[in-house]
Amino acid sequence: MANPLRAEVVQLYKTLLFLGREYPKGADYFRDRLRAAFAKNKDVRDPEKIKELISRGEFVVKELEALYYLRKYRALKKRYYETE
C-alpha cells in the first residue's frame, strides 16, 4: 500500500533540491546533506511523524528563501547606496 504522504515528501525534496542550487556553501554540499537527511528518515512509517518532518522541511524552505532574499537585498543595497 502506497503512503498518501509520498507525493508531499517528493515535492518537498524537489523544492529543496531546487533551492539548494544557490546555497552559499555550494550545490554539491547542500545536495549531499539533503540526501543524508532524507535517507536518515526513509524508514519512518508513522503518518504523524511524517507530517512533522514535512513541516520541518517546509520551515527549512522558508529559511532558505529568506536567506536568498536577504543576500540579494544586501547586494542591491551595496551596489546602489553609499556606505557611511
Side-chain angles (χ1 to χ4, degrees):
M1 184 166 102
N3 192 338
L5 297 172
R6 179 177 166 78
E8 283 186 62
V9 172
V10 170
Q11 185 60 41
L12 178 63
Y13 185 82
K14 287 180 180 181
T15 303
L16 285 167
L17 198 58
F18 177 78
L19 288 172
R21 295 184 311 168
E22 296 182 33
Y23 195 70
K25 288 189 176 183
D28 292 334
Y29 173 82
F30 187 85
R31 189 180 323 112
D32 292 342
R33 304 254 340 246
L34 179 64
R35 224 179 258 147
F38 274 76
K40 182 178 82 171
N41 296 309
K42 72 178 183 178
D43 295 325
V44 176
R45 299 285 182 241
D46 181 31
E48 292 303 316
K49 180 68 175 168
I50 293 172
K51 287 178 185 177
E52 181 182 319
L53 291 168
I54 289 172
S55 66
R56 185 175 175 195
E58 290 170 349
F59 174 77
V60 171
V61 167
K62 290 177 187 175
E63 288 292 315
L64 285 171
E65 288 172 344
L67 173 76
Y68 297 155
Y69 178 76
L70 284 174
R71 185 176 67 183
K72 290 176 184 177
Y73 171 76
R74 287 181 186 134
L76 286 172
K77 185 176 177 183
K78 187 177 181 181
R79 187 176 300 152
Y80 295 110
Y81 294 101
E82 295 178 21
T83 57
E84 295 177 17

